[in-house]
Every structure is written in C-alpha cells, then in structure tokens.
Amino acid sequence: MEQFDMLEHPHRRYNILTGEWVLVSPHRTKRPWQGKQEKVEEVQRPPHDPGNYLGPGNLRAGGERNPDYTNTYVFVNDFGALYPEVPKGSYEKGGLLKAVGEQGICKVVCFSPRFDLTLPEMNLEDIVKVVETWQEEYKALGRESFINYVQIFENKGEIMGCSNPHPHGQIWAQSTIPEEPAKEGVQMKQHFEQHGRSLLSDYVALELEEKERVVLENESFVALVPFWAVWPYETMVVSKRHFQDINMMTGKEKQDFAEILKQLTTKYDNLFEISFPYSSGIHQRPTDGEAHEEWHFHMHFYPPLLRSATVKKFMVGYEMMAEPQRDITPEFSADKLRSLSLEHYKSRRSRS
Ligand SMILES: [Zn+2]
C-alpha cells in the first residue's frame, strides 16, 4: 500500500478555529470540466450615481437624505435585521421550543463617496480611513451596555447577494455572541489556557515556517489560505502580534493592515480579471466587558468563485447534509494567488 499523500488522496482537515472538519478530494481536480464557462462583460461604472441611495447627497429608501460626505459615511440601516428597542423576554415550551429576544444595531459603512471604486481600487490613504471608521464604530457600538459583540463585514458582488453596487460594508452589533465567533472563542480559550499562547500566534508561526499557504506578508500581518479552507480561494488575514481587537493596533499596524487588504483584494480581482465577489469579516473579541485575552484579531475572506468569473462553488448536497468539501487543495490556491500581480488588471490595461 502506498503512503498517504495529502496532495493526492482524499482526506479530512481539521479547522482549529471552529473544531470542525472539511473533506478534501485533490484527485478530483483531474476530472474534465463540462460546465458553463463564459467571459463576463464588465460594465464601466460612473464615479457617481444620483439614483443610488448610498451616494452622497442622495435620498435613502427610508426617506432620509445622505449628507454630501467626502470620506467614509456610516448610517443606521433603514431596514436593519436588528434594532435596539426589543422588549426583554423569551419563549419556551416543553424544553424543545426556545426563543430569546435579541437587541442590536445594524449600520451601513460607505467606503467612499465614489460609486466606482471597490477596496482594491481605492488609494491606501482612503483604505486607512475605512479601517479608522471600523475602529470608531467598534468602540462606539461596543460601549453600549446592551451590545456584547460587533460584527464588521462586507458582501461584495451580486453573486453574494449584495443588492447595491456602491462599495460598502456593514456592521451588525448585538446583545449575544453569535455562533461563528462563539465557536472560535471556545477553541482560542482552550489553546490559551493549555499553552499560555494565542492559538493564531502558534498557527501563524507554523505557516510562516512552511510558507506553502502564505499569500502575502508584511511587517504586521500575514494573508494565507488556511489549512482547513472551505471555499476555493478562501483566505485569512492574521496579525503577527497577538492583540484582541481593532483598537489595539499601533499606527504602523493600521497602515500595514490597510496595505495587505489592498494587495489581497487586488490579487483577487486579478485572478479572473473581474471585480472579485466575496464575503469578508473581522473576528475580534466580544465587547461584553471581559478581557478575552485568548482572542486574536483576524479577518476572513470567503469568495465563492471556483474556475472562472461565472463558475461558482456550490455548497449543496454533501456539504449541506454532511460537511464542507473541496477539490483543489489550499496549497494550490495559495500558489495561484501568490503568482498574481499586485498591479490591478484595470490599471495594467489602461497602461497598454
Ligand atoms: Zn474567525
């Protein structure tokens, strides 16, 4: 019997952050592809669209008018999934039916007044302003006594269900710690108590030694394809220094964070030469007043595309019923992302 080879044989990989497993089937990448694969025509967007409710000076769906903002702009979502004035209470029947009231605040963060500039196309200084806005919001929302967790995230592209093309992210803050960060908190705490070190510090040290899954690195941050990645080109941006939340960054770390975000999203756009869709989000310590020493600041990128601008990975069948599965290995994806230019394909095109 031949020896087990991770790049050849079906296997399961362990996600240290969630305690869950993912099935990897590298041998399947050899099968012929017969699905659809078409070139996408990209529409050139104007810098401003007076009809878009996220734009400066424009009328929002809720009836309010946006100010003539020139940097980032934050407002409470007119149709948020959560709102603060929920009566305290719960419902229970027979120990089987449970419901608990949840308070929260949902905000929208416009990255800039420009309708046509996504993160990779923005100047570094303007991305720094987005990071600073995240810092301010995390602090202000976290200070509210009924807010114990702040989720900063972005859904980019129609394929991710983003209904508005004006580049923006969202912040949902709420009274309980939701499932994903709660799972990670348990894993990080266990490691921290056992070893006295942050789980992600140990993981990053190992990845920097192996280099195989590292996509980008600067003085303060690493962008890598996690060993247990589920999405074909999933990545994670992790701080090299162990700190718990976005407001603990030094000035240098803030710059480096903005830089690695620009570089990573540029590589994403260059992969299929389209504005690359993804869901991204920051995981950091809850704002429940506890120190949460074990928490280690990081950001996830979950992009759905698999083979081209139109061929998406579906989470269906086995993934829904059993567990996530992938064909191309995280090592292949990291290698592919590493090989891509840091110059955005649009600026390359406009030069030639
Ligand atoms: Zn996480």
Side-chain angles (χ1 to χ4, degrees):
M1 184 89 188
E2 52 179 336
Q3 275 214 313
F4 168 67
D5 179 357
M6 227 169 44
L7 303 179
E8 192 72 35
H9 304 129
H11 61 277
R12 295 168 82 214
R13 293 192 187 192
Y14 182 64
N15 181 338
I16 53 166
L17 275 176
T18 59
E20 294 164 348
W21 294 80
V22 50
L23 180 64
V24 186
S25 317
H27 59 287
R28 289 223 303 189
T29 48
K30 287 156 197 153
R31 85 198 151 133
W33 173 252
Q34 292 178 324
K36 64 170 189 175
Q37 189 164 5
E38 64 238 22
K39 195 85 193 143
V40 184
E41 276 301 310
E42 268 200 296
V43 216
Q44 191 58 44
R45 278 192 250 136
H48 299 283
D49 175 4
N52 189 297
Y53 71 87
L54 294 182
N58 296 353
L59 201 61
R60 288 215 307 274
E64 256 182 88
R65 189 173 288 280
N66 295 331
D68 252 323
Y69 65 92
T70 49
N71 291 316
T72 59
Y73 173 57
V74 184
F75 61 92
V76 174
N77 194 334
D78 299 312
F79 303 99
L82 292 157
Y83 56 86
E85 304 85 14
V86 177
K88 277 204 175 11
S90 59
Y91 168 88
E92 193 273 335
K93 199 156 204 177
L96 299 175
L97 309 180
K98 295 181 195 179
V100 186
E102 182 77 0
Q103 293 173 282
I105 302 172
C106 295
K107 288 188 163 186
V108 177
V109 182
C110 297
F111 292 159
S112 88
R114 291 279 296 266
F115 183 68
D116 57 337
L117 299 183
T118 58
L119 276 184
E121 298 162 284
M122 286 167 69
N123 293 325
L124 196 56
E125 307 88 83
D126 292 332
I127 302 176
V128 169
K129 284 178 196 150
V130 173
V131 175
E132 286 169 347
T133 304
W134 288 338
Q135 288 180 317
E136 285 156 25
E137 289 299 324
Y138 174 81
K139 192 169 171 184
L141 288 164
R143 237 189 339 237
E144 294 284 345
S145 60
F146 68 97
I147 297 296
N148 293 308
Y149 182 77
V150 178
Q151 183 59 60
I152 296 168
F153 67 98
E154 180 189 0
N155 283 330
K156 182 177 170 235
E158 253 173 284
I159 199 171
M160 295 313 285
C162 183
S163 52
N164 196 310
H166 188 118
H168 70 282
Q170 299 188 56
I171 304 176
W172 292 16
Q174 64 190 101
S175 50
T176 54
I177 305 170
E179 295 293 335
E180 291 303 313
K183 276 188 275 186
E184 294 190 356
V186 170
Q187 295 290 110
M188 286 193 265
K189 196 174 172 120
Q190 200 177 31
H191 187 92
F192 194 76
E193 282 175 353
Q194 209 173 349
H195 305 278
R197 292 184 312 268
S198 138
L199 173 68
L200 286 181
S201 291
D202 283 358
Y203 174 63
V204 161
L206 208 140
E207 288 291 15
L208 286 175
E209 210 178 285
E210 297 235 313
K211 294 263 190 275
E212 254 189 304
R213 285 166 294 270
V214 174
V215 176
L216 284 161
E217 182 190 354
N218 60 31
E219 218 177 288
S220 321
F221 287 89
V222 186
L224 50 83
V225 179
F227 181 74
W228 55 84
V230 166
W231 297 95
Y233 291 96
E234 176 178 337
T235 56
M236 184 162 77
V237 175
V238 192
S239 63
K240 287 187 177 172
R241 187 172 67 85
H242 176 207
F243 59 84
Q244 287 76 17
D245 70 60
I246 197 163
N247 282 307
M248 295 170 82
M249 281 184 194
T250 63
K252 166 76 173 146
E253 282 168 338
K254 185 176 70 185
Q255 289 288 331
D256 285 354
F257 184 51
E259 183 196 68
I260 209 163
L261 291 184
K262 181 172 170 69
Q263 292 178 336
L264 179 63
T265 52
T266 298
K267 278 179 178 277
Y268 271 155
D269 277 11
N270 287 341
L271 183 60
F272 300 128
E273 301 209 336
I274 48 143
S275 183
F276 201 71
Y278 58 74
S279 270
S280 68
I282 291 171
H283 278 157
Q284 52 191 331
R285 74 169 150 196
T287 56
D288 54 2
E290 306 281 325
H292 291 290
E293 262 196 288
E294 71 279 5
W295 259 93
H296 190 131
F297 177 89
H298 63 279
M299 184 167 184
H300 296 281
F301 283 86
Y302 299 149
L305 295 182
L306 177 61
R307 279 165 219 273
S308 73
T310 55
V311 179
K312 163 184 188 295
K313 175 184 171 57
F314 288 97
M315 288 286 196
V316 294
Y318 183 82
E319 279 97 343
M320 280 180 158
M321 302 301 155
E323 68 186 18
Q325 184 272 342
R326 65 179 293 139
D327 292 346
I328 60 168
T329 62
E331 292 72 30
F332 172 91
S333 305
D335 193 50
K336 181 83 196 156
L337 288 172
R338 245 193 328 264
S339 73
L340 296 166
S341 168
L342 287 177
E343 188 188 4
H344 198 271
Y345 71 93
K346 279 188 192 166
S347 42
R348 209 162 51 227
R349 271 184 203 165
S350 67
R351 262 195 306 116
S352 56

